[in-house]
Amino acid sequence: MNKKWLWFVAIFVLALMVAGCGGTAEPTAVPTDIPAPEVAPTDAPAPADTAGERPRLLLATTTSTENSGLLAEILPAFSQEYNVDVDVVAVGTGQALQLGVDGNADVLLVHARAQEDAFMANGDGSRREDVMYNDFIIVGPPSDPAGLQGMTSATEAFTKIAETQSPFVSRGDDSGTHSKEKAIWAAAGIEPAGDWYISAGQGMGAVLTMADEQQAYTLSDRATYLALTLEGTELVILVEGDPILFNPYGVIAVNPDKGAHIHADLANQFIDWLISVPTQELIGNFGVAEFGSSLFIPDSNAWRESQGMEPHSN
Amino acid sequence: MSEPLYELRQVEKAYHGRSVLHIDELAVYPGEILALVGPSGVGKSTLLRLLNFLEPPTKGTIMFRGQVFNGQQEVPLAERRRVTTVFQRPFLLNRSVKANVAYGLHLRGNRDSREQVADVLARVGLQDQAQQRARTLSGGEAQRVALARAMILQPDVLLLDEPTANLDPYNVGMIEEIVRQMNATQAMTMVLVTHNIFQAKRLAHRVALLLNGRVVETAPTDTFFNQPGDPRTAAFVRGDMVY
Amino acid sequence: MEVVALSLRVSGTALLVSTVIGIPIGAFLGLRRFVGRPFVMALLYTAMGFPPVVVGLLVYLLLSRNGPLGQIESAWIPRLFTPEAMILAQSVIAVPLVAGFTMAAVLGVDPQLQQQIKSLGATPWQEMATTLSEARVGVIIAIVAALGRIAAEVGAVMLVGGNIDGRTRVLTTAVVLETRKGNFELAIALGIILIGIAFVVNTTMLILQRQVSK
């Protein structure tokens, strides 16, 4: 009898240990205490609830921004300056926008212009700003069975792939990259189908790996591809520079009408910070040391103005 | 004779609408050993379950220590704990011998039972096996542990359901001797179910014959065996009963 | 390493919750007969085979701001993309496993032993505790099986946790992320840690099982 209870207690203690060990280690999971911001916030007022827990801004974004490492590079500056934790949920563009529609996120950073405009038109967002762009590239095996090398038109390249029935891996996940791919197919007047067209339903990194394994073509954003080259891939860039491959990122504040839980002020502060010239400079510098070129090109109105360019027309 | 400890009136037990036991009247007196005999499947074990309050009767009343219970009300734990059963199979817990013996006391919140356990284990001749795992015991040893586990509770009533069936003569003799001693020294009331009429003869003060769920005859042991009142009892005692 | 600590905390807490809830349910279903019991058992067996990612989806929809629970402001309802939401999802996955295996173990105990236990003066609660103790090997297997399922689970925690760096990223989702990024070395290293934890936990449980069953 005694022994029985001993063992029941042992199991219990074991479970508690498992739970408790995580519990004691929890503080490490939160960024170490950052002293209250000495620097006055640039424009917007400081968050009202500084006395309580540090506020958390939920940023829904596409896998490309997180996988490239851009957010990890620039977000600490925002967290420190505004004493805010930013929770990044990296999903496909489709889900990111849905998170906004459902009021599960405060702010969105996505790249699917048509869907973004629809989002704003439906009243799901309160503010949208252009942030930056990167470009898409068509990559494929060095053997280049479809003979794309040297082509400058993405639609022509896609037509060639379809004609030769060369394997092509599609994201197939409603992501921004997938939307772009579908737009190019549509521009080429092709409905891609057949054994050669592989719909993966996975993120960019996984799709690139798959294309590498299967000696297939795919459409990739430059940042993820460059990051993968550091790990080693046989895939080479075959088509780039076509204006249709332009990939603009927008930032959207979710409409605060969706509930009191939406951090509308923080979202606006975040957008102001993201499009400000110093942050845009950070974006432009990201990746230069590692890859020799920028992964994202700053493109906010404030930035364009500072560079003597015309602001966006929208 | 003194007031009965148990008094059953019009007790009926049915499973799924089929009546297996129907007792018009049966009394158990304090301090006696009452043997229930009869062929297997006549409801002897069912009757013991009713006496131990493991199951309620479908109809009728069971008076125990002056309180009348029908099938509706819950028998208070304190009353239920005055009775315990040693079954044909020992049903030991997968623990040590001494933990098995101490089990009933632990249920009653008695944690310091070491001396009592040692004492009853000595009485059943298993003092050296106290630390052993119960499942390593032989059949006879296991049944003696089952008996010790019941003894330690000092129950008012000890129910014995074929306690020595399938045991060797040495263990049968030992268990019968312990039972007889407990009854003699502590005036413990016992109801013994057995199909062995010789065991009934050796141990019981009174004997009741059950046939088809009914009590045919209840009589003092001597009368039961020598001057049975019912021809069926006479046939059973002679060993003529076909079953 | 915070990812490891969070994995242990989430799965450990979920295991604790599901043990506390699942064992009594399993013991009750194994011991008591009541109207509708076969239906509840069929439901339980179905729940045991439920794909974790579907549980994740259901919890996601439940906790979403326009879902039925997302609109209620309460300290007891976890928010989407928090460790608590992950604990909830993993608990929902684990409870049927713990309850089902516990029920099977309890049903394996001789019903006549329960009669003997009751005859020795056990209250219904003591009867349940003793039966569970007799079925302890099966109960431990129930706990190990549940832990194995939830610790290796990736779909549900990915959906409801969101894989937020430093907040809801656990070993399994980190492996997925690093694989997607092409960081195979890191992915494998995390995978080895995951396997190592599973090994340590299962070995501990096995030793325990041998101790209690001897």
Side-chain angles (χ1 to χ4, degrees):
Chain A
M1 189 78 180
N2 278 331
K3 224 170 173 184
K4 168 197 129 186
W5 287 113
L6 202 73
W7 284 114
F8 265 69
V9 166
I11 296 169
F12 220 71
V13 167
L14 190 84
L16 275 178
M17 254 167 46
V18 170
C21 130
T24 51
E26 194 189 8
T28 61
V30 178
T32 41
D33 271 6
I34 292 158
E38 302 295 325
V39 197
T42 45
D43 37 18
D49 49 346
T50 40
E53 208 185 320
R54 239 163 92 119
R56 297 184 162 279
L57 184 71
L58 205 138
L59 169 65
T61 185
T62 60
T63 44
S64 56
T65 49
E66 199 189 30
N67 287 8
S68 65
L70 172 72
L71 291 177
E73 175 86 8
I74 65 170
L75 283 181
F78 177 74
S79 293
Q80 192 153 4
E81 191 173 331
Y82 289 88
N83 196 29
V84 175
D85 284 326
V86 182
D87 286 345
V88 179
V89 176
V91 290
T93 301
Q95 196 192 340
L97 289 164
Q98 190 61 42
L99 285 171
V101 171
D102 294 344
N104 286 322
D106 299 312
V107 64
L108 316 176
L109 179 61
V110 289
H111 56 97
R113 189 57 199 264
Q115 287 167 268
E116 288 168 43
D117 289 342
F119 186 88
M120 296 304 293
N122 283 339
D124 290 322
S126 58
R127 178 185 179 195
R128 184 196 170 280
E129 299 282 350
D130 291 307
V131 179
M132 61 190 182
Y133 67 85
N134 69 343
D135 63 338
F136 289 108
I137 49 179
I138 300 173
V139 297
S143 59
D144 192 15
L148 305 188
Q149 188 74 54
M151 295 178 78
T152 53
S153 161
T155 47
E156 280 172 26
F158 269 36
T159 309
K160 243 341 207 330
I161 291 171
E163 276 170 6
T164 56
Q165 307 242 315
S166 305
F168 182 94
V169 184
S170 166
R171 289 281 291 274
D173 61 352
D174 253 349
S175 60
T177 310
H178 187 214
S179 303
K180 175 63 76 181
E181 182 210 314
K182 285 191 288 192
I184 299 173
W185 287 119
I190 293 169
E191 186 82 40
D195 283 348
W196 59 275
Y197 187 76
I198 302 153
S199 184
Q202 301 227 42
M204 198 67 251
V207 164
L208 281 169
T209 308
M210 213 183 275
D212 194 15
E213 298 284 340
Q214 306 200 355
Q215 295 283 296
Y217 294 96
T218 192
L219 182 73
S220 173
D221 62 284
R222 189 182 294 270
T224 311
Y225 169 76
L226 284 179
L228 196 68
T229 56
L230 294 183
E231 302 287 329
T233 178
E234 282 188 26
L235 297 173
V236 293
I237 300 175
L238 295 166
V239 181
E240 58 186 325
D242 185 337
I244 199 175
L245 294 174
F246 185 74
N247 182 32
Y249 282 77
V251 65
I252 297 175
V254 173
N255 193 333
D257 292 350
K258 299 206 180 273
H261 60 275
I262 302 279
H263 298 98
D265 289 346
L266 282 180
N268 270 314
Q269 281 174 22
F270 177 74
I271 292 177
D272 289 339
W273 171 82
L274 191 63
I275 63 177
S276 70
V277 174
T279 308
Q280 292 276 305
E281 232 165 278
L282 278 179
I283 292 172
N285 288 334
F286 171 68
V288 174
E290 212 176 343
F291 306 107
S293 72
S294 299
L295 298 183
F296 297 93
I297 315 299
D299 197 33
S300 74
N301 280 334
W303 172 262
R304 290 176 74 92
E305 213 170 297
S306 75
Q307 301 296 307
M309 291 188 282
E310 286 288 306
H312 291 282
S313 52
N314 39 54
Chain B
M1 235 176 212
S2 55
E3 284 294 300
L5 188 62
Y6 279 104
E7 202 163 34
L8 279 64
R9 287 183 190 281
Q10 305 300 329
V11 165
E12 214 182 309
K13 182 70 190 177
Y15 294 107
H16 307 292
R18 206 171 67 89
S19 176
V20 295
L21 193 69
H22 192 122
I23 293 177
D24 294 332
E25 203 169 352
L26 180 72
V28 181
Y29 294 93
E32 74 166 344
I33 299 181
L34 171 68
L36 299 174
V37 298
S40 26
V42 296
K44 302 191 299 282
S45 296
T46 305
L47 178 54
L48 281 201
R49 286 201 293 276
L50 295 187
L51 295 179
N52 201 166
F53 307 110
L54 299 178
E55 293 171 10
T58 312
K59 278 184 196 156
T61 57
I62 298 174
M63 188 279 291
F64 179 60
R65 289 174 20 96
Q67 287 186 71
V68 177
F69 301 102
N70 60 26
Q72 309 308 312
Q73 76 264 59
E74 190 75 15
V75 177
L77 184 65
E79 295 303 319
R80 188 154 69 76
R81 282 183 169 173
R82 291 177 184 277
V83 191
T84 190
T85 307
V86 173
F87 293 93
Q88 180 175 349
R89 279 164 58 205
F91 296 119
L92 299 184
L93 301 173
N94 184 12
R95 301 173 185 177
S96 69
V97 166
K98 65 177 167 62
N100 267 282
V101 173
Y103 177 73
L105 288 179
H106 277 223
L107 292 180
R108 288 157 175 76
N110 183 343
R111 300 271 149 191
D112 187 29
S113 51
R114 208 173 313 161
E115 275 177 33
Q116 286 162 279
V117 170
D119 187 46
V120 292
L121 276 176
R123 279 174 72 186
V124 298
L126 289 172
Q127 59 276 23
D128 298 334
Q129 276 91 331
Q131 308 293 338
Q132 224 170 303
R133 300 294 301 183
R135 64 159 64 154
T136 62
L137 298 175
S138 72
E141 289 169 334
Q143 190 62 307
R144 272 143 61 197
V145 171
L147 189 60
R149 179 173 61 178
M151 279 165 68
I152 202 169
L153 300 176
Q154 307 268 359
D156 288 7
V157 183
L158 179 63
L159 307 173
L160 300 153
D161 191 354
E162 304 273 17
T164 61
N166 312 325
L167 292 188
D168 57 279
Y170 169 78
N171 274 298
V172 173
M174 191 162 180
I175 287 172
E176 284 185 4
E177 185 50 37
I178 295 166
V179 166
R180 195 179 293 118
Q181 263 183 26
M182 270 196 292
N183 175 256
T185 60
Q186 299 169 44
M188 194 182 287
T189 310
M190 298 181 181
V191 180
L192 167 73
V193 162
T194 179
H195 62 250
N196 179 344
I197 55 167
F198 301 105
Q199 185 168 58
K201 215 174 195 172
R202 285 195 295 271
L203 291 176
H205 302 116
R206 290 194 308 139
V207 184
L209 174 67
L210 261 77
L211 284 178
N212 300 322
R214 289 173 184 271
V215 179
V216 171
E217 181 175 0
T218 308
T221 308
D222 206 38
T223 317
F224 186 90
F225 286 101
N226 298 322
Q227 295 151 318
D230 193 289
R232 288 169 293 178
T233 310
F236 184 79
V237 167
R238 277 199 310 274
D240 286 356
M241 188 152 289
V242 180
Y243 55 86
Chain C
M1 218 165 141
E2 61 193 54
V3 173
V4 178
L6 184 68
S7 293
L8 290 176
R9 182 162 80 94
V10 168
S11 293
T13 311
L15 187 69
L16 199 67
V17 169
S18 52
T19 302
V20 168
I21 298 173
I23 288 181
I25 292 177
F28 185 80
L29 286 174
L31 283 173
R32 299 272 173 262
R33 307 283 177 272
F34 54 89
V35 181
R37 177 169 173 268
F39 178 70
V40 175
M41 282 166 76
L43 224 58
L44 184 63
Y45 281 128
T46 311
M48 282 174 78
F50 233 56
V53 71
V54 176
V55 173
L57 178 62
L58 293 178
V59 172
Y60 179 101
L61 294 175
L62 214 59
L63 297 183
S64 173
R65 284 292 184 175
N66 58 358
L69 292 183
Q71 287 155 6
I72 307 165
E73 286 294 338
S74 158
W76 290 98
I77 296 167
R79 295 267 75 93
L80 211 51
F81 307 129
T82 59
E84 289 71 31
M86 298 157 80
I87 291 169
L88 176 66
Q90 291 203 339
S91 301
V92 173
I93 294 166
V95 163
L97 283 173
V98 174
F101 280 113
T102 301
M103 179 182 76
V106 166
L107 286 174
V109 175
D110 192 335
Q112 286 184 283
L113 176 70
Q114 287 160 28
Q115 187 172 290
Q116 173 75 77
I117 292 167
K118 194 178 175 194
S119 146
L120 287 166
T123 63
W125 282 111
Q126 290 173 328
E127 195 183 331
M128 197 175 269
T130 306
T131 309
L132 275 176
S133 148
E134 285 299 296
R136 56 193 178 263
V137 174
V139 173
I140 289 175
I141 288 171
I143 296 171
V144 174
L147 183 61
R149 172 75 80 94
I150 60 177
E153 199 282 320
V154 58
V157 288
M158 183 72 103
L159 282 179
V160 304
N163 197 20
I164 298 170
D165 190 16
R167 189 153 154 76
T168 60
R169 183 163 300 162
V170 291
L171 278 167
T172 53
T173 57
V175 168
V176 170
L177 179 70
E178 296 306 331
T179 306
R180 281 190 184 157
K181 284 159 82 173
N183 289 338
F184 295 116
E185 291 89 348
L186 186 52
I188 287 172
L190 290 167
I192 289 171
I193 295 175
L194 194 58
I195 293 166
I197 291 173
F199 182 78
V200 169
V201 170
N202 282 304
T203 309
T204 312
M205 286 292 195
L206 269 175
I207 292 169
L208 209 59
Q209 186 183 328
R210 282 184 57 158
Q211 288 288 330
V212 298
S213 64
K214 83 173 177 206

